[in-house]
Amino acid sequence: MLKKIVLNDLKGSKLVSITIFSFILFASFVLSTVGIVAVNLNASINLFLEKSKAPHFLQMHMGDFDNERMDKFAQNNEYVLDYQALPFLNVDSSDIIINGERFSENSQDNGFSYQSENFDFLLDIDNSIIYPKEGEIYVPLVYFTNGNIKTGDCITVSGLNFIVKGAVRDSQMSSMLSSSKRFLVHQSDYEKIKHVGREEILIEFLLNNRSSIDLFQSSYFKADLESNGPTVTYSIIKLMNALTDGIMIAILSLIAFLVIVVSFLCIRLTLVSKIEDEYKTIGVVKAIGLRLSIIKRIYRGKYAIISVISCLLGLIFSLAFSGYFLQNIRMFFGENESTFPAVICALAGAVFIFLIVMLYVNRFLNKLKNISPARAINKGVVSDNVSSLKSFKLREQNILPTDIFLGINLILTRKKTYFTFILILIIASFVIILPNNIYSSMASDIFITYMGIGNGQVMMIFPGMNDLIDLNTVLENDPDIEEYVVYDNKSYEFMLNVNTVSKMWVTLGNQNKFPLLYTVGHAPQQNNDIALSYLNASSLGKKVGDSLTLIIEQQKKNFVITGIYSDITNGGKTARAAFSDDSKDSLSKSVIMNFKKDTPIKEKINSFEKNYPNAKIYHIESYRDAVFGSTLNSIKTAGITGMILSIGLTFLITLLFNNMLVVKDRRNISILKSLGFTYKSIRNQYTAGTLLIVFVSIIIGMILVNTIGQSVAGFFIQSMGIANFKFIPDLGFVLFITPFCILITVFLGINIAYRSIKIIKVSDYIKGEV
Amino acid sequence: MNKIIEARSINKVYGSENNQTIALNNVSISITTNEYVSVMGPSGSGKSTLLFALSGMDRIDTGSVYINGVSLHEMNENNLADFRRKKMGFVFQNPTMLPSLDILDNIMLPSYEDYKKDKSELIQKTLKIMKIAGIEGTENRKITEVSGGQLQRASICRAVLHNPEILFGDEPTGALNSKSSEEILDLFEQLNNNGMTILLVTHDSKVSARSKRVLFMKDGTLESELIFQNENLQTRIDLINEKMSVLGI
């Protein structure tokens, strides 16, 4: 009997059943896929880091290096398990020739290395340690995947030809978030090309215990060892490797959450209308003594069947198609050896969706408890919670045409009915706008200032002091330069607490030209002002107004913290000050400049490269694209996917909701028809109300994106060292394209749904009462 | 006298091929201006279908209906809707009011477009009619804040506000107590005396006794009719009951 009722119910409401089925299937598919991707990402990265023996602490250094002293430090340090100093040859991209063409378009810091002996191994795509023969070269994996270089290509460096044998998986530098990339050659070839570039030392430590990285870092800096380059720790290596896929997981989770919310809303909508339709019947079956649990079982049956089948199909689809989402993980980290945990996680995702759907249905059906049999049998219909508004009366308004007034009035007096529809439209506009806002923000010119770099056109970094004698004169006299600023990057000791001294990278210079974005406070202006990067301020527990003591010429000098800015350079822990100090050598100097209008920037960069062969010169826009290119692409893909999904969802829900609304409103529509209102007029009333809802929903969606959305996006981006992230929206997209897409979709949906108004016969809904 | 309503051989069938119900079977009727006519019959006799067919709210299968000589059959839905709004008024068994509007807005709703330029005139006219109907003071109330009788009077006010040529009533007192029913029927009589043509459908002889002509329906056909002259109310009721008894209704 129960089976027959449920099957009849399913047959009788095909559109609704298919819609709910599709949503639950999709939610189950996405959540199971999230489980598979997350387990694989974690397992593959761990396996990869284990096989490559990634260092726990890495200090880059350029210049003099005291190997003996470092050896001694490593031997005596209680935390160190193993230590190595690995040379890394920075070669200008234009000195790398691939199949006869210069690699100069590439703005990464490309360099050469040979295989390490003890740890930090460079692996091939089977995760085996590579030992290249003479004349062979292995190239960074990212150049393989984006099609720049392929096996068999010829790479020439300083007249020495290499044949590309394969790709390198590099635990430290594979990620596009790492600005350096390692090419792997034989040690003897490395010696032959050594004169082409500048050698940097990768000072690497494996520790006894990963939890002691902070303590070790402190002891390293305290020992005043070589440290003029960036510092990288194991957690940053892992984060950088996981970030691109991690963002995908986060976006998929968000989609799963939204789809499940929409499924709930659909279920709510259908259950409400079902209960309304069968209000009298429910009253009768209650009156004859049928227990609530049995009545609930009848209504629950349909959703149980839909949920079981859709969750199972979602699980099967996720197992079948998760390979697509795992491509990047397999390519960059290798295959996860055990698939069982991923399958269990996928199953858990599907079961979770099934359980929460059933829990929701069950909780919703508790409302049946409140139906009084006497009232239901007597009245026959659920009292519509509609009542006229005190302050919105037809006779008191002079602007709106009657149809539009009635449409708006219908919504204002039935907010609860429209709540579901509004919520879905808000979600749709949120999902469309949010990824686009993240994308437009990260792609905007201003975003570079979040990265710790001024918003100029070109940046030059001089690792040594040799070229700098006439730099100011040259820049000053260059007719093409509009403005520039030279920064001194120096390392200073500072008081970590009363007894402990640590070291900090401080950039000195005019901080008002090409200013960074200060999340709190402002740029340092006085000689005793200092600004800290967000990560630095967080780890030191400092805020604006606090003081910081630097040791300059053996003297303690107090500085006032005037601002906190976002920075992802040099491990994100930096400081900026305005004072000048000739007593201490610079670790490096950097220049940011803007050119006059119509200056050919590429040619200027080429000319600088010729004049300053040791300098690293970046076109800032290309630099940003190189660092965030893959992340931006992921966000763009997510944005387009979100937009297609949202539009499809909006269309489906519009159709479903408005169909139900017309069914629910048959009597009111009949009344209007009997009073002489035409089909067109009634349709206009509903259309006006719906369009009002669309506008309100889009506005609320926009507000939510800029408040909650910005906070959520900021939370993820904060982990990269970018604090207080603010959207820089693409106004054309937000204000025109999004509303236009949603409006057109809703309009199409209501046009189909409202056709049924035409076929409502007055006699069917008024005469029936006689 | 002018024929305000004329139906010629109208037929209406409900249901599918295998399960058909003949609601109207070759019905012809004519009603003259200022007549007060009732249609009586048991449930399922087709009396409501006749009312909906004559008012153009339901399409007939065959035959034709003319209002003031205009064929409803040849009008499209929009023209029919306009025609209804201007020429007809309706009162149903249960008051058909929109819950999203208060009493005054509900009454004014169908006439609103015609008076848009002079709303105050419409409001004054409505208040006057409400006073005549005995529901003054309820204009700002929600439809749930008045009694069934008051709501039905409001429905009548709405139906007659635009001075329709014909007032259709489908069991207009069916949901009211006897006191309210009497008051509503008094109101109808008053409207008829002022020149309005009235066509009521009812199964209550007390209601049909207030009209001047009673048509009797059975199984979709018009079986007979009674025309009253100067009989008192009780005589009329007795005559109606007697006729019904003869017809087996």
Side-chain angles (χ1 to χ4, degrees):
Chain A
M1 180 70 179
L2 183 66
K3 193 177 153 194
K4 202 175 166 188
I5 294 172
V6 170
L7 287 178
N8 280 340
D9 191 8
L10 279 170
K11 273 185 208 160
S13 52
K14 284 191 196 101
L15 175 69
V16 172
S17 302
I18 290 170
T19 308
I20 295 173
F21 178 86
S22 313
F23 283 136
I24 300 177
L25 185 146
F26 190 65
S28 160
F29 167 69
V30 174
L31 202 65
S32 297
T33 304
V34 164
I36 293 172
V37 174
V39 167
N40 274 286
L41 179 66
N42 189 47
S44 293
I45 288 184
N46 283 340
L47 194 68
F48 168 59
L49 294 182
E50 196 181 297
K51 285 197 173 173
S52 65
K53 282 195 160 182
H56 294 146
F57 179 85
L58 165 74
Q59 175 64 56
M60 294 187 181
H61 179 77
M62 197 175 268
D64 295 338
F65 174 64
D66 189 341
N67 201 0
E68 214 172 287
R69 185 175 61 149
M70 192 63 78
D71 258 340
K72 208 171 160 188
F73 166 77
Q75 276 166 20
N76 294 333
N77 191 294
E78 55 177 316
Y79 306 114
V80 176
L81 179 69
D82 204 351
Y83 148 77
Q84 68 183 14
L86 195 68
F88 173 64
L89 186 68
N90 280 291
V91 174
D92 199 284
S93 295
S94 59
D95 287 329
I96 302 171
I97 295 157
I98 298 168
N99 296 331
E101 286 193 15
R102 290 189 183 276
F103 201 33
S104 52
E105 284 298 310
N106 188 285
S107 59
Q108 295 273 303
D109 295 337
N110 292 299
F112 290 77
S113 225
Y114 52 85
Q115 189 59 274
S116 340
E117 284 178 13
N118 305 326
F119 60 97
D120 187 20
F121 298 119
L122 299 176
L123 309 178
D124 63 13
I125 52 168
D126 296 322
N127 276 354
S128 305
I129 301 170
I130 310 169
Y131 293 104
K133 293 175 189 150
E134 283 184 45
E136 289 179 356
I137 190 167
Y138 286 79
V139 302
L141 184 55
V142 68
Y143 297 152
F144 246 68
T145 54
N146 63 19
N148 285 347
I149 305 172
K150 57 186 185 306
T151 308
D153 280 354
C154 176
I155 295 182
T156 311
V157 181
S158 181
L160 196 64
N161 288 333
F162 295 94
I163 296 297
V164 176
K165 295 298 283 184
V168 169
R169 272 192 194 140
D170 184 340
S171 61
Q172 293 175 41
M173 301 182 189
S174 269
S175 164
M176 278 313 278
L177 291 173
S178 158
S179 61
S180 299
K181 294 284 167 280
R182 278 195 278 191
F183 288 72
L184 181 68
V185 293
H186 190 273
Q187 191 169 356
S188 65
D189 286 336
Y190 179 89
E191 297 300 331
K192 285 176 203 161
I193 59 170
K194 206 169 162 181
H195 63 278
V196 182
R198 303 163 308 281
E199 199 169 64
E200 198 170 0
I201 307 294
L202 308 179
I203 307 159
E204 301 179 335
F205 295 90
L206 262 188
L207 306 182
N208 291 313
N209 193 336
R210 280 213 300 269
S211 59
S212 47
I213 290 175
D214 283 348
L215 293 167
F216 172 77
Q217 189 169 2
S218 179
S219 68
Y220 183 88
F221 288 129
K222 207 171 163 186
D224 202 19
L225 296 163
E226 286 79 352
S227 58
N228 67 1
T231 308
V232 182
T233 58
Y234 187 84
S235 52
I236 292 177
I237 290 174
K238 198 167 174 183
L239 178 71
M240 285 208 300
N241 279 310
L243 198 65
T244 306
D245 293 295
I247 287 176
M248 186 173 75
I249 289 173
I251 289 171
L252 284 177
S253 307
L254 185 69
I255 290 172
F257 171 74
L258 294 178
V259 174
I260 227 19
V261 168
V262 171
S263 308
F264 283 177
L265 297 176
C266 276
I267 291 170
R268 181 178 181 274
L269 210 63
T270 49
L271 274 176
V272 165
S273 88
K274 186 88 186 151
I275 291 172
E276 279 180 11
D277 278 355
E278 294 174 3
Y279 186 63
K280 195 167 185 171
T281 316
I282 296 167
V284 172
V285 291
K286 272 186 133 182
I288 60 170
L290 217 61
R291 289 172 65 177
L292 183 68
S293 57
I294 296 171
I295 303 172
K296 274 169 83 176
R297 209 187 302 156
I298 294 170
Y299 285 94
R300 209 170 39 207
K302 172 178 158 181
Y303 296 96
I305 290 176
I306 291 177
S307 304
V308 165
I309 299 173
S310 54
C311 285
L312 205 63
L313 271 181
L315 174 66
I316 293 167
F317 285 167
S318 75
L319 292 172
F321 300 113
S322 59
Y324 172 77
F325 297 95
L326 294 174
Q327 279 173 350
N328 197 52
I329 296 172
R330 283 180 182 147
M331 179 57 84
F332 279 85
F333 313 115
E335 191 82 52
N336 171 24
E337 285 175 347
S338 166
T339 53
F340 185 67
V343 173
I344 293 293
C345 228
L347 182 68
V351 170
F352 176 74
I353 297 286
F354 171 76
L355 288 178
I356 54 165
V357 168
M358 291 320 295
L359 196 72
Y360 180 79
V361 170
N362 209 37
R363 281 200 63 173
F364 192 86
L365 288 175
N366 283 338
K367 289 186 179 202
L368 293 175
K369 218 187 288 179
N370 304 328
I371 294 178
S372 139
R375 209 182 134 95
I377 294 166
N378 280 334
K379 254 193 131 187
V381 288
V382 181
S383 54
D384 203 352
N385 291 325
V386 181
S387 64
S388 57
L389 296 169
K390 289 270 178 231
S391 55
F392 192 61
K393 294 184 190 296
L394 181 63
R395 57 185 176 276
E396 285 167 8
Q397 63 85 30
N398 297 310
I399 306 160
L400 300 172
T402 311
D403 290 345
I404 295 179
F405 169 87
L406 289 172
I408 295 171
N409 189 48
L410 204 63
I411 288 160
L412 295 178
T413 51
R414 295 201 302 191
K415 295 182 201 83
K416 217 173 157 185
T417 308
Y418 280 90
F419 174 75
T420 310
F421 189 43
I422 292 176
L423 206 61
I424 285 164
L425 289 176
I426 291 172
I427 290 172
S429 49
F430 185 88
V431 171
I432 293 175
I433 299 170
L434 180 69
N436 187 273
N437 266 12
I438 300 174
Y439 178 82
S440 64
S441 308
M442 289 180 82
S444 83
D445 289 344
I446 301 165
F447 190 73
I448 201 82
T449 56
Y450 278 115
M451 296 164 71
I453 299 167
N455 188 16
Q457 289 172 320
V458 168
M459 172 170 68
M460 299 167 77
I461 298 171
F462 297 87
M465 297 299 294
N466 301 340
D467 300 310
L468 300 176
I469 300 151
D470 60 340
L471 178 67
N472 264 312
T473 326
V474 170
L475 295 174
E476 196 63 50
N477 295 325
D478 190 322
D480 293 330
I481 295 177
E482 174 86 39
E483 54 176 348
Y484 71 94
V485 62
V486 180
Y487 297 108
D488 263 326
N489 298 311
K490 301 190 176 190
S491 177
Y492 284 100
E493 287 182 329
F494 70 99
M495 301 306 295
L496 195 58
N497 51 47
V498 183
N499 301 314
T500 319
V501 173
S502 189
K503 272 194 163 186
M504 184 184 285
W505 174 293
V506 184
T507 299
L508 304 179
N510 184 343
Q511 308 294 346
N512 291 320
K513 268 188 189 176
F514 304 106
L516 302 180
L517 269 182
Y518 283 81
T519 56
V520 194
H522 56 80
Q525 281 163 358
Q526 308 298 326
N527 279 345
N528 63 341
D529 287 351
I530 195 164
L532 297 181
S533 70
Y534 168 72
L535 286 183
N536 215 355
S538 303
S539 70
L540 296 174
K542 297 282 188 192
K543 55 185 190 302
V544 170
D546 287 355
S547 68
L548 183 79
T549 308
L550 296 190
I551 299 169
I552 303 172
E553 291 185 85
Q554 274 38 152
Q555 299 287 315
K556 286 183 184 171
K557 191 179 173 197
N558 283 332
F559 285 82
V560 177
I561 298 167
T562 60
I564 290 167
Y565 58 92
S566 296
D567 193 0
I568 62 162
T569 60
N570 296 310
K573 290 187 177 179
T574 60
R576 288 185 166 246
F579 69 90
S580 56
D581 173 23
D582 298 328
S583 69
K584 198 172 175 68
D585 283 344
S586 298
L587 298 171
S588 66
K589 284 208 179 216
S590 51
V591 181
I592 305 267
M593 63 184 82
N594 264 347
F595 292 104
K596 285 180 180 155
K597 210 181 160 194
D598 299 329
T599 304
I601 296 176
K602 269 191 185 170
E603 284 171 27
K604 287 302 289 186
I605 290 174
N606 288 342
S607 124
F608 281 135
E609 279 172 345
K610 260 187 207 156
N611 295 335
Y612 301 103
N614 290 328
K616 290 178 183 174
I617 300 166
Y618 303 103
H619 187 196
I620 288 179
E621 205 178 289
S622 315
Y623 178 75
R624 179 200 60 209
D625 291 345
V627 175
F628 285 112
S630 61
T631 309
L632 279 175
N633 278 338
S634 297
I635 294 168
K636 196 174 188 176
T637 310
I640 292 169
T641 314
M643 188 161 178
I644 293 169
L645 281 176
S646 299
I647 289 193
L649 174 80
T650 304
F651 180 74
L652 254 179
I653 296 292
T654 304
L655 199 61
L656 192 72
F657 175 80
N658 287 286
N659 253 322
M660 287 183 180
L661 194 67
V662 172
V663 172
K664 193 178 158 76
D665 279 2
R666 285 172 299 198
R667 189 167 187 274
N668 281 356
I669 292 169
S670 299
I671 294 172
L672 287 169
K673 279 191 168 184
S674 76
L675 296 177
F677 281 85
T678 59
Y679 158 66
K680 197 176 154 196
S681 164
I682 299 170
R683 193 194 59 196
N684 287 348
Q685 291 172 24
Y686 280 89
T687 305
T690 307
L691 294 186
L692 172 78
I693 282 181
V694 173
F695 278 116
V696 170
S697 306
I698 293 172
I699 290 168
I700 296 175
M702 283 177 191
I703 293 169
L704 289 179
V705 165
N706 282 296
T707 49
I708 298 171
Q710 189 166 270
S711 304
V712 172
F715 177 75
F716 282 107
I717 290 172
Q718 194 166 296
S719 61
M720 290 155 61
I722 293 173
N724 211 9
F725 173 73
K726 291 267 187 298
F727 281 142
I728 304 154
D730 174 353
L731 291 179
F733 184 88
V734 175
L735 298 178
F736 298 105
I737 296 176
T738 306
F740 179 76
C741 287
I742 295 179
L743 264 176
I744 289 287
T745 311
V746 170
F747 198 72
L748 276 176
I750 55 177
N751 247 312
I752 297 170
Y754 293 163
R755 276 180 200 165
S756 52
I757 292 176
K758 206 171 190 171
I759 55 170
I760 290 176
K761 278 190 196 163
V762 181
S763 52
D764 287 348
Y765 302 99
I766 296 180
K767 188 173 66 178
E769 297 160 355
V770 180
Chain B
M1 281 290 215
N2 289 334
K3 283 179 189 170
I4 191 164
I5 301 173
E6 188 174 13
R8 293 181 196 156
S9 307
I10 55 175
N11 288 284
K12 176 84 184 173
V13 178
Y14 289 117
S16 57
E17 255 178 56
N18 302 327
N19 186 22
Q20 285 192 337
T21 306
I22 299 170
L24 294 177
N25 185 10
N26 207 26
V27 175
S28 293
I29 182 177
S30 68
I31 296 168
T32 52
T33 306
N34 196 217
E35 248 195 305
Y36 186 167
V37 181
S38 299
V39 182
M40 283 204 75
S43 283
S45 59
K47 56 188 189 300
S48 288
T49 305
L50 178 66
L51 183 134
F52 281 92
L54 296 179
S55 63
M57 276 201 273
D58 216 352
R59 291 281 185 185
I60 49 176
D61 297 334
T62 56
S64 47
V65 176
Y66 298 89
I67 303 282
N68 271 340
V70 180
S71 168
L72 298 187
H73 188 64
E74 285 161 20
M75 286 187 196
N76 65 24
E77 284 299 328
N78 287 346
N79 290 340
L80 256 179
D82 281 343
F83 194 79
R84 270 203 302 274
R85 190 166 57 82
K86 287 177 179 158
K87 310 267 183 193
M88 304 174 189
F90 294 90
V91 185
F92 301 98
Q93 179 181 5
N94 285 314
T96 50
M97 294 268 170
L98 296 180
S100 56
L101 301 176
D102 64 11
I103 297 286
L104 186 57
D105 274 352
N106 256 301
I107 296 173
M108 293 197 321
L109 183 62
S111 311
Y112 194 77
E113 279 302 305
D114 300 330
Y115 284 86
K116 229 177 167 191
K117 283 181 187 155
D118 201 352
K119 265 193 307 182
S120 57
E121 190 192 329
L122 177 65
I123 293 171
Q124 288 315 313
K125 193 177 171 190
T126 311
L127 292 173
K128 202 172 152 189
I129 288 180
M130 286 175 78
K131 195 174 176 188
I132 294 167
I135 50 167
E136 69 270 36
T138 60
E139 52 271 15
N140 288 317
R141 293 203 200 155
K142 296 175 184 176
I143 65 166
T144 49
E145 292 172 347
V146 294
S147 70
Q150 285 175 312
L151 208 53
Q152 191 63 311
R153 281 172 219 219
S155 296
I156 295 168
C157 290
R158 183 181 62 189
V160 300
L161 183 64
H162 57 294
N163 288 325
E165 292 178 20
I166 317 157
L167 179 66
F168 291 96
D170 189 0
E171 301 278 3
T173 57
L176 302 177
N177 59 33
S178 56
K179 185 172 176 280
S180 293
S181 295
E182 287 299 318
E183 286 167 359
I184 295 293
L185 291 172
D186 288 345
L187 200 57
F188 280 162
E189 216 164 273
Q190 202 181 329
L191 289 165
N192 181 244
N193 290 338
N194 290 339
M196 196 174 286
T197 309
I198 297 176
L199 175 63
L200 296 186
V201 160
T202 180
H203 62 264
D204 186 345
S205 50
K206 282 183 202 154
V207 175
S208 54
R210 304 285 286 261
S211 60
K212 291 170 186 163
R213 180 152 69 116
V214 183
L215 305 173
F216 295 92
M217 275 193 89
K218 190 181 171 188
D219 300 331
T221 52
L222 277 176
E223 295 281 335
S224 182
E225 70 173 18
L226 274 177
I227 297 171
F228 298 123
Q229 300 295 331
N230 296 317
E231 299 88 343
N232 65 31
L233 193 61
Q234 191 51 53
T235 313
R236 288 181 181 190
I237 293 169
D238 294 341
L239 284 169
I240 290 167
N241 289 339
E242 195 183 312
K243 189 72 156 183
M244 285 174 75
S245 173
V246 171
L247 292 171
I249 297 174

Short mmCIF file of all heavy atoms in Angstrom, two decimals, chain A residues 17 38 64 87 99 125 135 151 258 292 386 430 488 496 519-520 616 634 638 706 737 754:
data_model
loop_
_atom_site.label_atom_id
_atom_site.label_comp_id
_atom_site.label_asym_id
_atom_site.label_seq_id
_atom_site.Cartn_x
_atom_site.Cartn_y
_atom_site.Cartn_z
N SER A 17 10.06 15.86 -8.79
CA SER A 17 10.90 14.73 -8.39
C SER A 17 12.22 14.74 -9.13
O SER A 17 13.29 14.53 -8.54
CB SER A 17 10.18 13.41 -8.69
OG SER A 17 8.97 13.39 -8.00
N ALA A 38 40.42 15.52 -1.72
CA ALA A 38 41.12 15.91 -0.48
C ALA A 38 42.02 14.78 0.01
O ALA A 38 43.20 15.01 0.36
CB ALA A 38 40.11 16.29 0.60
N ASP A 64 79.04 35.59 -0.09
CA ASP A 64 80.01 34.77 0.67
C ASP A 64 79.28 33.78 1.56
O ASP A 64 78.26 34.10 2.18
CB ASP A 64 80.87 35.69 1.54
CG ASP A 64 81.72 36.59 0.64
OD1 ASP A 64 81.94 36.20 -0.54
OD2 ASP A 64 82.11 37.68 1.10
N PRO A 87 74.12 24.35 -4.17
CA PRO A 87 74.19 25.55 -5.03
C PRO A 87 73.03 25.59 -6.03
O PRO A 87 72.55 24.56 -6.49
CB PRO A 87 75.52 25.37 -5.76
CG PRO A 87 75.80 23.92 -5.74
CD PRO A 87 75.12 23.34 -4.53
N ASN A 99 65.39 25.44 -28.26
CA ASN A 99 65.26 25.20 -29.72
C ASN A 99 65.60 26.45 -30.51
O ASN A 99 64.90 26.84 -31.44
CB ASN A 99 63.84 24.73 -30.07
CG ASN A 99 63.51 23.40 -29.42
OD1 ASN A 99 64.41 22.58 -29.19
ND2 ASN A 99 62.26 23.17 -29.12
N ILE A 125 58.57 12.08 -13.08
CA ILE A 125 57.11 11.96 -12.89
C ILE A 125 56.68 10.59 -12.35
O ILE A 125 55.50 10.35 -12.11
CB ILE A 125 56.30 12.33 -14.16
CG1 ILE A 125 56.81 11.58 -15.35
CG2 ILE A 125 56.32 13.81 -14.42
CD1 ILE A 125 55.88 11.69 -16.55
N GLY A 135 75.01 16.21 -20.58
CA GLY A 135 74.30 16.60 -21.80
C GLY A 135 72.78 16.44 -21.69
O GLY A 135 72.06 16.81 -22.60
N THR A 151 59.88 16.84 -24.15
CA THR A 151 61.00 15.90 -24.20
C THR A 151 61.62 15.92 -25.60
O THR A 151 60.89 15.95 -26.60
CB THR A 151 60.51 14.47 -23.87
OG1 THR A 151 59.77 14.52 -22.67
CG2 THR A 151 61.66 13.50 -23.75
N LEU A 258 26.04 24.85 -1.23
CA LEU A 258 24.97 25.63 -1.84
C LEU A 258 23.93 24.73 -2.49
O LEU A 258 22.73 24.98 -2.37
CB LEU A 258 25.55 26.59 -2.89
CG LEU A 258 26.45 27.69 -2.34
CD1 LEU A 258 27.01 28.54 -3.45
CD2 LEU A 258 25.68 28.56 -1.36
N LEU A 292 0.99 9.48 13.69
CA LEU A 292 1.81 10.47 12.98
C LEU A 292 2.99 9.82 12.27
O LEU A 292 3.35 10.18 11.14
CB LEU A 292 2.29 11.54 13.98
CG LEU A 292 3.11 12.68 13.37
CD1 LEU A 292 2.25 13.54 12.47
CD2 LEU A 292 3.76 13.52 14.45
N VAL A 386 -1.76 35.31 4.43
CA VAL A 386 -1.73 36.57 3.71
C VAL A 386 -2.64 37.55 4.41
O VAL A 386 -3.73 37.19 4.81
CB VAL A 386 -2.26 36.37 2.27
CG1 VAL A 386 -2.22 37.66 1.50
CG2 VAL A 386 -1.47 35.30 1.59
N PHE A 430 25.18 35.45 -5.59
CA PHE A 430 26.40 35.34 -4.77
C PHE A 430 27.43 34.47 -5.49
O PHE A 430 28.60 34.84 -5.61
CB PHE A 430 26.01 34.71 -3.42
CG PHE A 430 27.12 34.65 -2.41
CD1 PHE A 430 27.37 35.71 -1.57
CD2 PHE A 430 27.91 33.52 -2.30
CE1 PHE A 430 28.38 35.64 -0.63
CE2 PHE A 430 28.93 33.45 -1.37
CZ PHE A 430 29.16 34.52 -0.53
N ASP A 488 66.71 50.12 -0.17
CA ASP A 488 67.82 49.34 0.37
C ASP A 488 67.25 48.20 1.18
O ASP A 488 66.48 48.45 2.11
CB ASP A 488 68.63 50.22 1.35
CG ASP A 488 69.83 50.81 0.67
OD1 ASP A 488 70.38 50.12 -0.20
OD2 ASP A 488 70.19 51.94 1.03
N LEU A 496 63.62 40.44 20.18
CA LEU A 496 62.40 39.62 20.13
C LEU A 496 61.68 39.73 21.48
O LEU A 496 60.47 39.84 21.55
CB LEU A 496 62.79 38.16 19.84
CG LEU A 496 61.71 37.22 19.42
CD1 LEU A 496 61.00 37.71 18.16
CD2 LEU A 496 62.28 35.82 19.16
N THR A 519 47.03 47.70 5.64
CA THR A 519 45.77 47.18 6.17
C THR A 519 45.38 47.94 7.44
O THR A 519 44.21 48.13 7.70
CB THR A 519 45.89 45.68 6.47
OG1 THR A 519 46.96 45.49 7.36
CG2 THR A 519 46.13 44.89 5.22
N VAL A 520 46.40 48.35 8.17
CA VAL A 520 46.16 49.20 9.34
C VAL A 520 47.26 50.26 9.32
O VAL A 520 48.39 49.96 8.95
CB VAL A 520 46.30 48.42 10.67
CG1 VAL A 520 45.73 49.22 11.83
CG2 VAL A 520 45.67 47.06 10.61
N LYS A 616 67.96 41.45 -11.45
CA LYS A 616 66.74 40.76 -11.88
C LYS A 616 65.74 41.86 -12.24
O LYS A 616 65.47 42.74 -11.42
CB LYS A 616 66.15 39.93 -10.73
CG LYS A 616 66.98 38.72 -10.38
CD LYS A 616 66.33 38.01 -9.21
CE LYS A 616 67.18 36.84 -8.76
NZ LYS A 616 66.67 36.21 -7.55
N SER A 634 42.43 28.97 -12.22
CA SER A 634 41.52 28.12 -11.43
C SER A 634 40.28 28.91 -11.03
O SER A 634 39.16 28.42 -11.12
CB SER A 634 42.18 27.63 -10.14
OG SER A 634 43.26 26.84 -10.46
N ALA A 638 36.47 28.31 -12.03
CA ALA A 638 35.43 28.16 -11.00
C ALA A 638 34.32 29.18 -11.22
O ALA A 638 33.14 28.87 -11.06
CB ALA A 638 36.05 28.36 -9.62
N ASN A 706 30.18 41.34 -0.80
CA ASN A 706 31.14 42.33 -0.31
C ASN A 706 31.32 42.31 1.20
O ASN A 706 32.18 43.01 1.72
CB ASN A 706 30.73 43.72 -0.78
CG ASN A 706 31.11 43.93 -2.22
OD1 ASN A 706 32.29 43.91 -2.58
ND2 ASN A 706 30.11 44.01 -3.07
N ILE A 737 26.28 42.72 -16.22
CA ILE A 737 26.22 41.36 -16.77
C ILE A 737 25.46 40.41 -15.84
O ILE A 737 24.55 39.70 -16.27
CB ILE A 737 27.64 40.83 -17.07
CG1 ILE A 737 28.26 41.70 -18.16
CG2 ILE A 737 27.60 39.37 -17.54
CD1 ILE A 737 29.68 41.40 -18.52
N TYR A 754 4.14 30.92 -16.30
CA TYR A 754 2.90 31.69 -16.23
C TYR A 754 1.92 31.37 -17.38
O TYR A 754 0.81 31.88 -17.41
CB TYR A 754 3.19 33.19 -16.19
CG TYR A 754 3.87 33.63 -14.91
CD1 TYR A 754 4.52 34.86 -14.82
CD2 TYR A 754 3.87 32.82 -13.78
CE1 TYR A 754 5.15 35.26 -13.66
CE2 TYR A 754 4.50 33.21 -12.61
CZ TYR A 754 5.15 34.42 -12.56
OH TYR A 754 5.78 34.81 -11.41
#
